Amino acid sequence: LHEILRRESKFVGRITKLIERGVHEGVFKCNSPDLVANIMVFIGTVIPLRAWNILPGHTTDEVRDMIEDMVLNYLGVTKDAPRTKGV
């Protein structure tokens, strides 16, 4: 359990750093990169945890697209906006 939690924390830390980099480069608008990173990791579990209720009416691609749209919208990025390499 400790190893799994350590790895998960490391993963969240990498996402936090990417968000911080995006904020620094003016690509993202975010006051709490660590909180957003944790929410992003959690929301990524929606398909396995809620598939019984979501997938009968939606494809996994639809769910992923909606999650992506929600996250980018929160970070102040539109899908058509130019992206910085690696962010």
Side-chain angles (χ1 to χ4, degrees):
L1 177 61
H2 292 291
E3 179 63 18
I4 291 168
L5 295 176
R6 185 188 69 76
R7 288 180 186 220
E8 196 267 352
S9 291
K10 189 174 179 180
F11 182 63
V12 170
R14 283 194 225 138
I15 295 171
T16 301
K17 287 179 183 177
L18 284 172
I19 295 170
E20 289 170 343
R21 179 176 156 201
V23 169
H24 177 74
E25 293 179 9
V27 178
F28 300 148
K29 296 173 187 159
C30 181
N31 293 327
S32 301
D34 60 323
L35 180 57
V36 173
N38 272 282
I39 291 169
M40 287 173 63
V41 170
F42 178 75
I43 204 167
T45 66
V46 74
I47 294 173
L49 293 176
R50 302 287 303 166
W52 62 271
N53 197 18
I54 294 172
L55 295 183
H58 304 279
T59 67
T60 54
D61 288 339
E62 286 177 300
V63 176
R64 287 186 192 125
D65 287 346
M66 180 168 282
I67 290 170
E68 179 182 331
D69 289 346
M70 288 170 48
V71 170
L72 290 176
N73 184 50
Y74 180 81
L75 292 172
V77 178
T78 62
K79 269 196 154 182
D80 300 330
R83 306 245 175 111
T84 301
K85 184 178 180 182
V87 177

